[in-house]
Amino acid sequence: MTQDSTASAWHLAQINVGRIRYPTDDPRMHGFMSRLDEINALAEASPGFCWRLQGDSGNATDIIATEDERLLVNLSLWESAQALFDYVYRSDHRTVMRDRRRWFEKPEGPFQALWWVPAGHEPGAAEGLARLAHLREHGPTPAAFHFKARYPEPGRSEGPEDMQPEPYCSGWR
């Protein structure tokens, strides 16, 4: 995806959440927990990666964002929607997504939201959860959207674009 001067002023924020089936120290979570460092390193080395939310553990599994201690939050910033899309659907990250049913409950409604933030702004979990709630309540809008209805950076007039994740997605079918 070609970046213009408007896009450089913005980063794409993404939050995805999941309710784990078992506590993180349960042996049944080993397949997920043992890959976190590898998958986070893959993200950090990916073109267009800017930042990710981390707790004391070096990942976000120790960040309790709601009263539900089994709700894990992942939050990151990317230079473009295409950079995030390529990481999520065209890298080894897909192998973790493929196996997620082993570790996560099936979500009810959207579990990922995307939105644009000014470059340099690092959103917290509360901001991300508010965007996810907005998406659940209103559907995709410029304030919160997903890959099937990706909105452009602020200041651009085109409508949402379907980035067509289905061929790559290991969805919750």
Side-chain angles (χ1 to χ4, degrees), residues 40-121:
N40 287 332
L42 178 64
E44 291 173 350
S46 294
F49 173 84
C50 299
W51 170 88
R52 67 181 174 87
L53 181 66
Q54 301 180 56
D56 292 337
S57 63
N59 60 58
T61 60
D62 56 350
I63 295 174
I64 307 300
T66 70
E67 292 179 9
D68 185 352
E69 293 185 3
R70 288 206 181 159
L71 185 75
L72 297 188
V73 174
N74 179 30
L75 181 63
S76 60
L77 295 176
W78 296 80
E79 290 178 356
S80 69
Q82 190 64 55
L84 174 60
F85 187 93
D86 289 345
Y87 166 71
V88 171
Y89 295 115
R90 294 183 176 141
S91 77
D92 199 36
H93 177 265
R94 286 181 63 194
T95 61
V96 174
M97 286 188 359
R98 180 193 64 222
D99 295 336
R100 65 185 166 196
R101 291 167 195 79
R102 293 174 40 203
W103 310 303
F104 292 88
E105 295 176 0
K106 184 176 181 178
E108 294 180 20
F111 58 91
Q112 178 190 55
L114 311 174
W115 72 101
W116 295 101
V117 299
H121 173 66

Side-chain angles (χ1 to χ4, degrees), residues 1-4 6-14 48 50 76-84 113-119 121 123 127 131 141-147 149-156 158-161 163:
M1 180 167 142
T2 304
Q3 297 272 324
D4 65 18
T6 305
S8 65
W10 299 95
H11 287 155
L12 184 70
Q14 77 79 30
C50 299
S76 60
L77 295 176
W78 296 80
E79 290 178 356
S80 69
Q82 190 64 55
L84 174 60
L114 311 174
W115 72 101
W116 295 101
V117 299
H121 173 66
E127 180 180 341
R131 297 293 180 138
T141 70
F145 50 91
H146 46 63
F147 286 124
R150 192 242 346 127
Y151 279 82
E153 303 87 352
R156 304 216 11 217
E158 63 263 25
E161 171 193 3
M163 295 183 74

Side-chain angles (χ1 to χ4, degrees), residues 126-145:
E127 180 180 341
L129 291 170
R131 297 293 180 138
L132 187 57
H134 180 90
L135 178 62
R136 288 177 177 156
E137 184 175 336
H138 302 286
T141 70
F145 50 91

